Amino acid sequence: MAASKKAVLGPLVGAVDQGTSSTRFLVFNSKTAELLSHHQVEIEQKFPKEGWVEQDPKEILQSVYECIEKTCEKLGQLNIDISNIKAIGVSNQRETTVVWDKLTGEPLYNAVVWLDLRTQSTVANLSKIIPVNNNFVKTKTGLPLSTYFSAVKLRWLLDNVRKIQKAVEEDRALFGTIDSWLIWSLTGGARGGVHCTDVTNASRTMLFNIHSLEWDKELCEFFEVPMKILPNVRSSSEIYGLMKAGALEGVPISGCLGDQSAALVGQMCFQDGQAKNTYGTGCFLLCNTGHKCSVAIAGAVVRWLRDNLGIIKTSEEIEKLAKEVGTSYGCYFVPAFSGLYAPYWEPSARGIICGLTQFTNKCHIAFAALEAVCFQTREILDAMNRDCGIPLSHLQVDGGMTNNKILMQLQADILYIPVVKPSMPETTALGAAMAAGAAEGVGVWSLKPEDLSAVTMERFEPQINAKESEIRYSTWKKAVKKSMGWVTTQYPENGDPSIFSSLPLGFFIVSSMVMLIGARYLSGVA
């Protein structure tokens, strides 16, 4: 029997989607945006002390190679020729910090993950020396001083890890977020690897001036970070280098975006004022602000209900519980688990559940948790509208939680605008692929509006009146005020959890996420 011919599909583009809990490699048809195949590998998180979160950079890199190889095998089984893969994009968990030896290619410490809290006292000490009348850090970066961003993680590493100190002294150290580590390694590593990052990831370090779009000397001096260890900042869509090993050796890596910026592109939010919200482990709201700069944040609580309270066994069960009652019955849940971020930036806040009565049960709490996600999104959307002056006509959404129809309907009700969900959920990887395929020298993915593939959408319209929406939102804000001022002690850097023993029952701990946005960061894309 003759061997079957390989399918001819036209140019294909691959995307590495390296997230906090897993790595994936996905391959798309550049003409139709159709997902052809993918593979996923879970990533281990390490918790050496309370509040510390680390990952092994070598495990992350190996997972990328494994995902690429397995996806290529699957394509072969589908009779799809992998030589049609013309470019690779990289999307990554942001802020996670890696320092490695450029001579050996070995990491000098585990990657310090974005949600790690060990630097809280570092942040407190730095806050004391910023001039009250000249907060140059926020002015230049658009970001508040926080444990979240890479600069303070790097400062901790430089202060506490002798191997890194020695490597810096001997000019062997390189710093980067996960995108930099991957691109450097995939393009040759110690044998000529390209040390770079893109503007979306650079903007999350607190070392990057978002107005001049370059590393800032004053910021580096403030954080005492040697500029020689920083990667070169490139646009989000250009050829950085070629794959030097594996099934796709010789294929250019030509797209790089922090995961949430990639999702903004994947949702095709190319016009000023278009926004998307990703509902996953965290909740991230981004808006295309044109040439303006803005900051936004939101949080999620479903995993906490599952892992800490045991109200649900799987994340999907929350929809069933919420559907049973269809209301929170006056119960409000403020998930300020590690303080309030934007628009409050109040580290003393802690999570609260209020408005409880004898009638309240786990179904009402589940409903309140979903509402909390929506209320936080509303707060950030209001702040965005004030900053940008471009009120949203609708909100585009993606992420695993968008399968929860009650959440999507609640979001439409609380925002009082339609919520629109694409049928193709892989918007993060798609955005990275689009950037890679559109790069100069690749040119297999057109970003002209008339050439972009039409995407089927599911639309959720508000089903309550505006007055009810405003009443529920104002009650939420009242609950938020009650969450403030609970903790005055900073989280200890040595991981001592004793400060939590004094927290009142019913007040719990979690983290939220921050996202800097600006369409001009997507050079060659926006």
Side-chain angles (χ1 to χ4, degrees):
M1 186 174 181
S4 59
K5 293 183 178 180
K6 295 287 187 181
V8 180
L9 297 173
L12 310 180
V13 180
V16 174
D17 182 3
Q18 205 299 298
T20 312
S21 57
S22 69
T23 298
R24 300 185 302 160
F25 185 70
L26 307 92
V27 174
F28 298 89
N29 184 326
S30 67
K31 300 305 180 186
T32 64
E34 177 190 2
L35 174 61
L36 300 177
S37 187
H38 76 282
H39 189 77
Q40 179 170 337
V41 172
E42 297 298 316
I43 301 294
E44 180 187 2
Q45 292 187 32
K46 305 174 187 294
F47 306 95
K49 293 182 181 180
E50 185 76 26
W52 293 28
V53 189
E54 300 177 357
Q55 291 177 326
D56 181 353
K58 295 177 73 174
E59 179 190 354
I60 292 173
L61 176 61
Q62 183 55 41
S63 72
V64 171
Y65 279 120
E66 181 179 345
C67 286
I68 290 174
E69 298 299 315
K70 294 292 186 182
T71 302
C72 288
E73 289 176 13
K74 292 177 181 179
L75 290 172
Q77 293 166 5
L78 296 170
N79 288 323
I80 297 173
D81 192 342
I82 63 172
S83 67
N84 286 327
I85 299 176
K86 303 303 182 184
I88 296 170
V90 174
S91 173
N92 59 286
Q93 53 169 309
R94 299 154 302 133
E95 299 92 18
T96 297
T97 300
V98 186
V99 181
W100 66 94
D101 189 317
K102 67 182 179 183
L103 301 182
T104 66
E106 291 293 312
L108 296 168
Y109 191 81
N110 277 336
V112 180
V113 179
W114 56 270
L115 46 74
D116 186 283
L117 291 174
R118 74 186 68 188
T119 57
Q120 216 164 39
S121 64
T122 301
V123 169
N125 291 334
L126 289 170
S127 297
K128 295 174 184 176
I129 58 177
I130 296 178
V132 176
N133 59 349
N134 179 27
N135 189 339
F136 64 93
V137 175
K138 189 169 184 178
T139 299
K140 292 186 173 189
T141 67
L143 305 172
L145 198 57
S146 168
T147 60
Y148 195 27
F149 305 111
S150 307
V152 290
K153 301 180 193 302
L154 179 55
R155 181 68 260 148
W156 186 93
L157 291 170
L158 291 168
D159 287 339
N160 293 278
V161 181
R162 180 55 193 153
K163 284 176 66 175
I164 290 178
Q165 295 168 352
K166 193 168 188 295
V168 170
E169 292 165 3
E170 297 174 359
D171 198 23
R172 293 183 287 109
L174 296 179
F175 152 80
T177 42
I178 293 296
D179 58 303
S180 297
W181 163 246
L182 292 180
I183 292 174
W184 184 83
S185 300
L186 296 173
T187 57
R191 298 181 178 180
V194 179
H195 188 215
C196 69
T197 189
D198 87 302
V199 283
T200 69
N201 280 293
S203 72
R204 308 298 290 166
T205 62
M206 297 199 83
L207 301 172
F208 184 75
N209 189 314
I210 63 174
H211 308 288
S212 65
L213 300 183
E214 59 188 6
W215 299 122
D216 189 276
K217 184 178 179 182
E218 184 181 19
L219 291 171
C220 290
E221 289 176 350
F222 175 73
F223 289 104
E224 298 182 81
V225 168
M227 297 185 75
K228 64 181 181 181
I229 71 174
L230 302 178
N232 293 319
V233 181
R234 311 274 285 271
S235 76
S236 299
S237 180
E238 63 176 273
I239 295 175
Y240 313 114
L242 306 180
M243 288 284 292
K244 286 298 195 293
L248 298 181
E249 183 176 356
V251 175
I253 300 175
S254 53
C256 179
L257 291 155
D259 51 10
Q260 301 310 320
S261 295
L264 192 70
V265 175
Q267 286 273 29
M268 303 180 193
C269 296
F270 295 141
Q271 296 180 7
D272 292 10
Q274 287 185 305
K276 71 89 199 174
N277 205 22
T278 296
Y279 301 78
T281 303
C283 190
F284 299 85
L285 178 60
L286 281 76
C287 175
N288 182 332
T289 62
H291 291 276
K292 297 180 181 179
C293 302
S294 182
V295 177
I297 153 186
V301 297
V302 175
R303 182 175 292 182
W304 180 84
L305 291 179
R306 184 192 68 191
D307 296 343
N308 291 39
L309 283 196
I311 284 179
I312 53 177
K313 292 182 180 179
T314 67
S315 297
E316 292 73 23
E317 287 181 28
I318 193 170
E319 182 175 14
K320 181 180 178 181
L321 286 182
K323 189 175 182 179
E324 285 185 27
V325 289
T327 175
S328 67
Y329 199 73
C331 174
Y332 284 80
F333 190 159
V334 182
F337 298 156
S338 60
L340 289 167
Y341 289 85
Y344 301 102
W345 299 108
E346 180 52 69
S348 69
R350 286 295 179 265
I352 67 169
I353 302 175
C354 57
L356 301 176
T357 70
Q358 287 182 316
F359 181 72
T360 306
N361 62 34
K362 64 180 181 180
C363 296
H364 299 116
I365 293 175
F367 196 97
L370 294 181
E371 280 192 313
V373 175
C374 301
F375 285 131
Q376 290 179 93
T377 301
R378 166 78 185 265
E379 290 193 302
I380 303 310
L381 203 55
D382 283 356
M384 279 186 172
N385 287 338
R386 288 192 299 270
D387 288 347
C388 305
I390 313 173
L392 275 189
S393 60
H394 66 277
L395 178 67
Q396 294 169 224
V397 299
D398 56 60
M401 286 183 71
T402 60
N403 293 323
N404 187 321
K405 293 184 182 298
I406 289 182
L407 176 65
M408 295 296 95
Q409 186 57 58
L410 276 172
Q411 191 66 86
D413 290 345
I414 290 169
L415 295 179
Y416 210 66
I417 58 173
V419 167
V420 180
K421 173 190 172 185
S423 58
M424 209 294 286
E426 304 294 351
T427 55
T428 297
L430 177 61
M434 290 169 67
E440 184 177 351
V442 178
V444 299
W445 205 308
S446 172
L447 296 183
K448 295 178 181 178
E450 62 270 21
D451 294 333
L452 293 172
S453 300
V455 179
T456 306
M457 299 286 186
E458 183 176 6
R459 191 177 179 95
F460 298 84
E461 298 282 349
Q463 292 184 354
I464 64 175
N465 60 50
K467 183 177 181 181
E468 182 182 348
S469 179
E470 289 303 319
I471 290 172
R472 286 161 65 176
Y473 183 46
S474 63
T475 308
W476 155 264
K477 294 181 79 70
K478 181 180 177 181
V480 168
K481 289 181 180 179
K482 293 183 182 298
S483 75
M484 297 182 185
W486 285 101
V487 175
T488 55
T489 308
Q490 294 294 327
Y491 197 104
E493 288 195 3
N494 64 6
D496 179 4
S498 60
I499 65 166
F500 300 119
S501 61
S502 62
L503 289 177
L505 182 63
F507 295 84
F508 310 97
I509 306 171
V510 110
S511 67
S512 298
M513 278 64 52
V514 181
M515 187 63 216
L516 175 73
I517 36 195
R520 65 181 179 156
Y521 295 154
L522 308 180
S523 175
V525 176

